[in-house]
Amino acid sequence: MIPSFLHGMMRDGIANWVPTMITETYGVSPSFSVFITIVLPIFNSFGAYAVVPLYKKLGENEMKTAGVIGLIALAPMPAIMFMSKLPVYIMIVLLALTTSIMYALNYLIISLVPVRFSKCSCTSGVSGVLNSAAHIGCAVSSYGFGAVSQKAGWNAVVIIWIAAAFITALSAFLSNKKWSRFINLK
């Protein structure tokens, strides 16, 4: 549930707040910000497809793959900390990359993990719980990222994203031993 909550928080939080972040940081027009909200989902769809080869390479283990993806999410985020020094288009690419990675996590956690529970006849229950956690994360980010940016600035929000990606990776790796035993049960 922790990776589900955190990826939901980051996926929707980043997507919801990118236009405001870009407008406040770069002073771009509102129409440009709206354009960003249209373009980001196009990039995001690639995240779910791009994770499949890694998932297969890691033995179709959702938690191991989620841990690796959580670590990959850490790659673009430190550069986002320098948003005022980077060109706006570089920032948009970094943010699109980050949200695409969150969609990869969404595919693993929301789509694939519940299917593993078919042997217990509780796929829909697990799916509901994981979706609930992701949507709670989304709700927290919708208000929380705005409040944090108002009080401490956008870099504080990015620090939260970095911490969330790290905790996602850590919790996925820590649960991997039990998860591996579970998925190998006949």
Side-chain angles (χ1 to χ4, degrees), residues 3 15 18 24-25 31 35 52 54 72 86 95 100-101 106-107 110 122 128-129 135 148 150 170 173 178 180 184:
V18 161
E24 288 180 3
T25 304
S31 61
F35 174 73
V52 172
L54 178 64
I72 291 170
L86 294 173
L95 291 165
S100 293
I101 294 166
N106 184 73
Y107 173 69
I110 302 298
C122 59
V129 168
H135 288 297
V148 170
Q150 288 262 310
L170 182 65
F173 284 134
K178 285 184 180 180
S180 294
N184 290 318

Side-chain angles (χ1 to χ4, degrees), residues 1-164:
M1 284 185 52
I2 292 170
S4 184
F5 170 82
L6 292 173
H7 100 272
M9 179 183 77
M10 290 175 37
R11 180 196 67 212
D12 291 348
I14 293 170
N16 291 339
W17 285 105
V18 161
T20 304
M21 176 190 281
I22 296 295
T23 300
E24 288 180 3
T25 304
Y26 294 98
V28 298
S29 69
S31 61
F32 184 76
S33 293
V34 170
F35 174 73
I36 294 168
T37 62
I38 295 168
V39 172
L40 274 180
I42 295 167
F43 287 103
N44 293 341
S45 64
F46 293 110
Y49 293 108
V51 75
V52 172
L54 178 64
Y55 174 66
K56 290 183 184 225
K57 183 177 181 173
L58 295 175
E60 297 186 0
N61 181 316
E62 294 81 5
M63 288 302 108
K64 188 185 294 183
T65 309
V68 171
I69 294 297
L71 291 177
I72 291 170
L74 291 170
M77 288 189 212
I80 296 171
M81 296 286 291
F82 299 101
M83 68 182 85
S84 62
K85 295 178 178 32
L86 294 173
V88 67
Y89 295 107
I90 299 291
M91 184 57 54
I92 291 168
V93 168
L94 291 170
L95 291 165
L97 182 59
T98 303
T99 55
S100 293
I101 294 166
M102 292 307 115
Y103 274 84
L105 281 169
N106 184 73
Y107 173 69
L108 291 167
I109 296 166
I110 302 298
S111 299
L112 298 181
V113 166
V115 174
R116 297 289 193 166
F117 288 85
S118 63
K119 56 187 160 195
C120 305
S121 299
C122 59
T123 300
S124 60
V126 170
S127 180
V129 168
L130 293 176
N131 270 300
S132 295
H135 288 297
I136 291 168
C138 173
V140 167
S141 70
S142 293
Y143 172 77
F145 290 167
V148 170
S149 73
Q150 288 262 310
K151 297 256 185 217
W154 287 109
N155 278 346
V157 174
V158 176
I159 290 169
I160 293 170
W161 296 347
I162 291 168

